[in-house]
Amino acid sequence: MKILFLNFRNNPSSALLRISESLVKVGVSVCIFSYLSLVKEKKNHQASGFGRALFTFLFWYDIFVTRFVYKKTGRLFSRNTNLFSNILASIYAPFSHKFDLIHLHWIGHGFISTHFLIKIKVKKIVVTLHDYYFITGGCHIPGECLKYTKSCSDCPAKNGFIDFTLENFRQKEHLYKTKQIYATAPSEIMKSKIVDSYLGHFFQEVLVVPNPIDISIYKPLCVDFKKEFLFNGLPIDKKFLLFVSNNLIDYNKGMDLLLASIKLIKNPDSICLLTVGNNYSKISDELNFSHHHFGEINSTIEMVKIYNLAYITVVPSRFESFSQVTLESMSCGSPVIAFDSSGPSEIITDNLDGFLVKSFSIENFSESIDNILADELIRDSFAKKSREKVVLKYSYEAIGGMMKNYYKKIMDA
């Protein structure tokens, strides 16, 4: 069985890479093709030559249209553009024909159009919905907007003179009617969004497959932060709260909710907020308490050390299709506090291995932080049970077996 993964950006901490590694554990051959790959292995291919030049143009075209023409909503949009699709299909179709199935992951920013997928000679396509993109007219996280359940017409984020979302929506509908689309969702909450959507009705089947984790790497460690160069400059008398996001100012990730919550805790002088991600400069002025920024961390080993340093990991996201940060943190023995609203709700058992807080209540989030800061026995119990749960339910072997069986079912259908 040979599977081709298509993904815009391949990095060491991506869910896609872990899914591929879990499949390798159970004997499935996986190859990854990306526009940008930060992982240098034989199975990971990055667009090159003339094809890369075209993808680069499409990327910047997408950035211009979605970031400058559309209103600044704080949400991520990608446009499905069919420019150069014939050329790209002629370049990459021979490569795609070597595989039994094509599996799409995150393909935004102009990478892989619907017309490209129609042009290549494959009847069955698997998609994993890491966000909403495959069921909307272009937004990755629609927030409170429910237009994707009908047609995505008259997008509330559009500029007055252009609206590409309805066109994108119809192009996806055409693809889903032309090919047989099988879907996976990392959580039951994400599956429910697919089932409730208009485009999701064209999928042959939707299977919940949680993201896996390498429990031999993401594990509790004895970290002496005083001797670690990575931790230079950290205060020695604080309890560390950890917040991780690719984009720290992403509205969906809820930094605003976290900061409002921290302002309400009983003893803010007892904590230090650790942040990992981009756009720190845009929030640094708001952090009027102890804080330390690590920047973007591309080393798995360094990230594991940071998780182990954290007394608590905070996930104040408005929506997560799964929440890889929650799983990574729990696997390292750092308990998580999150809103009881989406993906983390299916990983955390409230008051057993973490805290699930009433959705978007900063008062309750603050109370949960205070409760775990005040009682080390609670924190240690949560840490132990977090690790036990991840080992039992989210190992490579467990998730890889589920995905392999799904591929077999699709190929036999």
Side-chain angles (χ1 to χ4, degrees), residues 268-305:
D269 291 336
S270 68
I271 63 102
C272 175
L273 178 66
L274 309 178
T275 53
V276 176
N278 295 308
N279 285 321
Y280 170 75
S281 61
K282 296 183 180 180
I283 64 165
S284 58
D285 292 342
E286 301 178 52
L287 305 181
N288 56 355
F289 48 84
S290 179
H291 56 90
H292 181 87
H293 181 57
F294 288 104
E296 184 177 12
I297 301 292
N298 288 317
S299 165
T300 299
I301 299 304
E302 289 186 353
M303 198 64 235
V304 170
K305 290 178 181 178

CSV table of all heavy atoms in Angstrom, one decimal, residues 268-305:
chain,number,residue,atom,x,y,z
A,268,PRO,N,-0.7,37.2,40.6
A,268,PRO,CA,0.0,37.2,39.3
A,268,PRO,C,1.5,37.2,39.4
A,268,PRO,O,2.3,36.8,38.5
A,268,PRO,CB,-0.5,38.4,38.6
A,268,PRO,CG,-1.1,39.3,39.7
A,268,PRO,CD,-1.5,38.4,40.8
A,269,ASP,N,2.0,37.7,40.6
A,269,ASP,CA,3.5,37.8,40.8
A,269,ASP,C,4.1,36.4,40.9
A,269,ASP,O,5.3,36.2,40.9
A,269,ASP,CB,3.8,38.6,42.0
A,269,ASP,CG,3.5,40.1,41.8
A,269,ASP,OD1,3.5,40.5,40.7
A,269,ASP,OD2,3.3,40.8,42.8
A,270,SER,N,3.3,35.3,41.1
A,270,SER,CA,3.8,34.0,41.3
A,270,SER,C,4.0,33.3,40.0
A,270,SER,O,4.6,32.2,40.0
A,270,SER,CB,2.8,33.2,42.2
A,270,SER,OG,1.6,32.9,41.5
A,271,ILE,N,3.6,33.8,38.9
A,271,ILE,CA,3.7,33.1,37.6
A,271,ILE,C,4.6,33.8,36.6
A,271,ILE,O,4.8,35.1,36.7
A,271,ILE,CB,2.3,32.8,37.0
A,271,ILE,CG1,1.6,34.2,36.7
A,271,ILE,CG2,1.5,32.0,38.0
A,271,ILE,CD1,1.6,34.5,35.2
A,272,CYS,N,5.0,33.1,35.7
A,272,CYS,CA,5.7,33.6,34.5
A,272,CYS,C,5.1,33.0,33.3
A,272,CYS,O,5.1,31.8,33.2
A,272,CYS,CB,7.2,33.3,34.5
A,272,CYS,SG,8.2,33.9,33.1
A,273,LEU,N,4.6,33.8,32.3
A,273,LEU,CA,4.0,33.3,31.1
A,273,LEU,C,5.1,33.0,30.1
A,273,LEU,O,5.9,33.9,29.7
A,273,LEU,CB,3.0,34.3,30.5
A,273,LEU,CG,2.4,33.9,29.2
A,273,LEU,CD1,1.5,32.6,29.4
A,273,LEU,CD2,1.5,35.0,28.6
A,274,LEU,N,5.2,31.8,29.6
A,274,LEU,CA,6.1,31.4,28.5
A,274,LEU,C,5.3,31.3,27.2
A,274,LEU,O,4.2,30.8,27.2
A,274,LEU,CB,6.7,30.0,28.8
A,274,LEU,CG,7.4,29.8,30.2
A,274,LEU,CD1,7.9,28.4,30.3
A,274,LEU,CD2,8.5,30.8,30.4
A,275,THR,N,5.9,31.9,26.2
A,275,THR,CA,5.2,31.9,24.9
A,275,THR,C,6.1,31.4,23.8
A,275,THR,O,7.3,31.6,23.8
A,275,THR,CB,4.7,33.4,24.4
A,275,THR,OG1,5.8,34.3,24.5
A,275,THR,CG2,3.6,33.9,25.3
A,276,VAL,N,5.5,30.6,22.9
A,276,VAL,CA,6.2,30.0,21.7
A,276,VAL,C,5.4,30.3,20.5
A,276,VAL,O,4.2,30.0,20.5
A,276,VAL,CB,6.4,28.5,21.9
A,276,VAL,CG1,7.0,27.9,20.6
A,276,VAL,CG2,7.2,28.1,23.1
A,277,GLY,N,6.0,31.0,19.5
A,277,GLY,CA,5.3,31.3,18.3
A,277,GLY,C,5.8,32.6,17.7
A,277,GLY,O,6.8,33.1,18.1
A,278,ASN,N,5.1,33.1,16.7
A,278,ASN,CA,5.4,34.3,16.0
A,278,ASN,C,4.5,35.5,16.4
A,278,ASN,O,3.5,35.3,17.0
A,278,ASN,CB,5.3,34.1,14.5
A,278,ASN,CG,6.2,33.0,13.9
A,278,ASN,OD1,7.4,33.1,14.2
A,278,ASN,ND2,5.7,32.0,13.2
A,279,ASN,N,5.0,36.7,16.0
A,279,ASN,CA,4.2,37.9,16.3
A,279,ASN,C,4.2,38.3,17.8
A,279,ASN,O,3.3,39.0,18.2
A,279,ASN,CB,2.8,37.9,15.7
A,279,ASN,CG,2.8,38.0,14.2
A,279,ASN,OD1,3.6,38.8,13.7
A,279,ASN,ND2,1.9,37.3,13.6
A,280,TYR,N,5.2,38.0,18.5
A,280,TYR,CA,5.3,38.3,19.9
A,280,TYR,C,5.4,39.8,20.1
A,280,TYR,O,4.8,40.3,21.1
A,280,TYR,CB,6.6,37.7,20.5
A,280,TYR,CG,6.9,38.1,21.9
A,280,TYR,CD1,6.2,37.7,23.0
A,280,TYR,CD2,8.0,39.0,22.1
A,280,TYR,CE1,6.5,38.1,24.3
A,280,TYR,CE2,8.3,39.4,23.4
A,280,TYR,CZ,7.6,39.0,24.5
A,280,TYR,OH,7.9,39.4,25.7
A,281,SER,N,6.0,40.6,19.2
A,281,SER,CA,6.2,42.0,19.4
A,281,SER,C,4.9,42.7,19.4
A,281,SER,O,4.7,43.8,20.0
A,281,SER,CB,7.1,42.6,18.3
A,281,SER,OG,6.4,42.4,17.0
A,282,LYS,N,3.8,42.1,18.8
A,282,LYS,CA,2.5,42.8,18.8
A,282,LYS,C,1.7,42.6,20.1
A,282,LYS,O,0.6,43.2,20.2
A,282,LYS,CB,1.7,42.2,17.6
A,282,LYS,CG,2.4,42.6,16.3
A,282,LYS,CD,1.6,42.1,15.1
A,282,LYS,CE,2.3,42.5,13.8
A,282,LYS,NZ,1.5,42.1,12.6
A,283,ILE,N,2.2,41.7,21.0
A,283,ILE,CA,1.5,41.6,22.3
A,283,ILE,C,2.4,41.9,23.5
A,283,ILE,O,1.9,42.0,24.6
A,283,ILE,CB,1.0,40.1,22.5
A,283,ILE,CG1,2.2,39.1,22.5
A,283,ILE,CG2,0.0,39.7,21.4
A,283,ILE,CD1,1.8,37.8,23.0
A,284,SER,N,3.7,42.1,23.3
A,284,SER,CA,4.6,42.3,24.4
A,284,SER,C,4.2,43.5,25.3
A,284,SER,O,4.4,43.4,26.5
A,284,SER,CB,6.0,42.5,23.8
A,284,SER,OG,6.1,43.6,23.0
A,285,ASP,N,3.7,44.5,24.7
A,285,ASP,CA,3.3,45.7,25.5
A,285,ASP,C,2.2,45.4,26.5
A,285,ASP,O,2.0,46.1,27.5
A,285,ASP,CB,2.9,46.9,24.6
A,285,ASP,CG,4.1,47.4,23.8
A,285,ASP,OD1,5.3,47.1,24.2
A,285,ASP,OD2,3.9,48.1,22.8
A,286,GLU,N,1.4,44.4,26.2
A,286,GLU,CA,0.2,44.0,27.0
A,286,GLU,C,0.6,43.1,28.2
A,286,GLU,O,-0.2,42.9,29.1
A,286,GLU,CB,-0.8,43.3,26.2
A,286,GLU,CG,-1.3,44.1,25.0
A,286,GLU,CD,-2.4,43.3,24.2
A,286,GLU,OE1,-3.3,42.8,24.8
A,286,GLU,OE2,-2.2,43.2,23.0
A,287,LEU,N,1.9,42.6,28.2
A,287,LEU,CA,2.3,41.6,29.2
A,287,LEU,C,2.9,42.4,30.4
A,287,LEU,O,4.1,42.5,30.5
A,287,LEU,CB,3.2,40.6,28.6
A,287,LEU,CG,2.7,39.9,27.3
A,287,LEU,CD1,3.8,38.9,26.9
A,287,LEU,CD2,1.4,39.1,27.6
A,288,ASN,N,2.1,42.9,31.3
A,288,ASN,CA,2.6,43.7,32.4
A,288,ASN,C,2.8,42.8,33.6
A,288,ASN,O,2.5,43.1,34.7
A,288,ASN,CB,1.6,44.8,32.7
A,288,ASN,CG,0.2,44.3,33.0
A,288,ASN,OD1,-0.1,43.1,32.8
A,288,ASN,ND2,-0.7,45.2,33.4
A,289,PHE,N,3.3,41.6,33.4
A,289,PHE,CA,3.7,40.6,34.4
A,289,PHE,C,4.9,39.8,33.9
A,289,PHE,O,5.3,40.0,32.7
A,289,PHE,CB,2.5,39.7,34.8
A,289,PHE,CG,1.8,39.1,33.6
A,289,PHE,CD1,2.3,37.9,33.0
A,289,PHE,CD2,0.7,39.7,33.1
A,289,PHE,CE1,1.7,37.4,31.9
A,289,PHE,CE2,0.1,39.1,32.0
A,289,PHE,CZ,0.6,38.0,31.4
A,290,SER,N,5.5,39.0,34.7
A,290,SER,CA,6.6,38.2,34.3
A,290,SER,C,6.3,37.4,33.1
A,290,SER,O,5.3,36.6,33.0
A,290,SER,CB,7.1,37.3,35.4
A,290,SER,OG,8.3,36.6,35.0
A,291,HIS,N,7.2,37.4,32.0
A,291,HIS,CA,7.0,36.7,30.8
A,291,HIS,C,8.3,36.4,30.1
A,291,HIS,O,9.3,37.2,30.3
A,291,HIS,CB,6.0,37.4,29.9
A,291,HIS,CG,6.4,38.8,29.5
A,291,HIS,ND1,7.2,39.1,28.4
A,291,HIS,CD2,6.2,40.0,30.2
A,291,HIS,CE1,7.4,40.4,28.4
A,291,HIS,NE2,6.8,41.0,29.4
A,292,HIS,N,8.3,35.4,29.3
A,292,HIS,CA,9.5,35.1,28.5
A,292,HIS,C,9.1,34.5,27.2
A,292,HIS,O,8.2,33.6,27.1
A,292,HIS,CB,10.4,34.0,29.2
A,292,HIS,CG,11.6,33.7,28.5
A,292,HIS,ND1,12.8,34.4,28.6
A,292,HIS,CD2,11.9,32.7,27.6
A,292,HIS,CE1,13.7,33.8,27.9
A,292,HIS,NE2,13.2,32.8,27.3
A,293,HIS,N,9.7,34.9,26.1
A,293,HIS,CA,9.3,34.5,24.7
A,293,HIS,C,10.4,33.7,24.1
A,293,HIS,O,11.6,34.1,24.1
A,293,HIS,CB,9.0,35.7,23.8
A,293,HIS,CG,8.6,35.3,22.5
A,293,HIS,ND1,7.5,34.5,22.2
A,293,HIS,CD2,9.1,35.6,21.2
A,293,HIS,CE1,7.4,34.3,20.9
A,293,HIS,NE2,8.3,34.9,20.3
A,294,PHE,N,10.1,32.5,23.7
A,294,PHE,CA,11.1,31.6,23.1
A,294,PHE,C,11.2,31.8,21.6
A,294,PHE,O,12.2,31.3,20.9
A,294,PHE,CB,10.8,30.1,23.3
A,294,PHE,CG,11.0,29.7,24.8
A,294,PHE,CD1,9.9,29.5,25.6
A,294,PHE,CD2,12.2,29.4,25.3
A,294,PHE,CE1,10.1,29.1,26.9
A,294,PHE,CE2,12.4,29.1,26.6
A,294,PHE,CZ,11.4,28.9,27.4
A,295,GLY,N,10.3,32.4,20.9
A,295,GLY,CA,10.3,32.5,19.5
A,295,GLY,C,9.7,31.3,18.9
A,295,GLY,O,9.0,30.5,19.5
A,296,GLU,N,10.0,31.1,17.6
A,296,GLU,CA,9.5,29.9,16.9
A,296,GLU,C,10.4,28.7,17.2
A,296,GLU,O,11.6,28.8,16.9
A,296,GLU,CB,9.3,30.1,15.4
A,296,GLU,CG,8.8,29.0,14.6
A,296,GLU,CD,8.6,29.3,13.2
A,296,GLU,OE1,9.1,30.3,12.7
A,296,GLU,OE2,7.9,28.5,12.5
A,297,ILE,N,9.9,27.7,17.7
A,297,ILE,CA,10.7,26.5,18.1
A,297,ILE,C,10.5,25.4,17.0
A,297,ILE,O,9.4,24.9,16.9
A,297,ILE,CB,10.4,25.9,19.4
A,297,ILE,CG1,10.6,27.0,20.5
A,297,ILE,CG2,11.2,24.7,19.8
A,297,ILE,CD1,12.0,27.4,20.8
A,298,ASN,N,11.6,25.1,16.3
A,298,ASN,CA,11.5,24.0,15.3
A,298,ASN,C,12.2,22.7,15.7
A,298,ASN,O,12.2,21.7,15.0
A,298,ASN,CB,12.1,24.5,13.9
A,298,ASN,CG,11.3,25.5,13.2
A,298,ASN,OD1,10.1,25.4,13.2
A,298,ASN,ND2,11.9,26.6,12.8
A,299,SER,N,12.8,22.7,16.9
A,299,SER,CA,13.4,21.5,17.4
A,299,SER,C,12.4,20.8,18.3
A,299,SER,O,12.0,21.4,19.3
A,299,SER,CB,14.7,21.9,18.2
A,299,SER,OG,15.1,20.9,19.0
A,300,THR,N,12.1,19.6,18.0
A,300,THR,CA,11.2,18.8,18.9
A,300,THR,C,11.8,18.6,20.3
A,300,THR,O,11.1,18.7,21.3
A,300,THR,CB,11.0,17.4,18.2
A,300,THR,OG1,10.4,17.6,16.9
A,300,THR,CG2,10.1,16.5,19.1
A,301,ILE,N,13.1,18.3,20.4
A,301,ILE,CA,13.7,18.1,21.7
A,301,ILE,C,13.6,19.4,22.5
A,301,ILE,O,13.3,19.3,23.7
A,301,ILE,CB,15.2,17.8,21.5
A,301,ILE,CG1,15.4,16.5,20.7
A,301,ILE,CG2,15.9,17.6,22.9
A,301,ILE,CD1,14.6,15.3,21.3
A,302,GLU,N,13.8,20.6,22.0
A,302,GLU,CA,13.7,21.8,22.7
A,302,GLU,C,12.2,22.0,23.2
A,302,GLU,O,11.9,22.4,24.3
A,302,GLU,CB,14.1,23.0,21.9
A,302,GLU,CG,15.6,23.0,21.7
A,302,GLU,CD,16.1,24.3,21.1
A,302,GLU,OE1,15.2,25.1,20.6
A,302,GLU,OE2,17.3,24.5,21.0
A,303,MET,N,11.3,21.7,22.3
A,303,MET,CA,9.9,21.8,22.6
A,303,MET,C,9.5,20.9,23.8
A,303,MET,O,8.7,21.3,24.7
A,303,MET,CB,9.0,21.6,21.4
A,303,MET,CG,7.6,22.1,21.5
A,303,MET,SD,7.5,23.9,21.6
A,303,MET,CE,6.5,24.1,23.1
A,304,VAL,N,10.0,19.7,23.7
A,304,VAL,CA,9.7,18.7,24.8
A,304,VAL,C,10.2,19.3,26.2
A,304,VAL,O,9.6,19.2,27.2
A,304,VAL,CB,10.3,17.3,24.5
A,304,VAL,CG1,10.3,16.4,25.7
A,304,VAL,CG2,9.6,16.7,23.4
A,305,LYS,N,11.4,19.9,26.1
A,305,LYS,CA,12.0,20.5,27.4
A,305,LYS,C,11.1,21.6,27.9
A,305,LYS,O,10.9,21.8,29.1
A,305,LYS,CB,13.4,21.0,27.1
A,305,LYS,CG,14.4,19.9,26.9
A,305,LYS,CD,15.8,20.5,26.6
A,305,LYS,CE,16.8,19.3,26.3
A,305,LYS,NZ,18.2,19.9,26.0
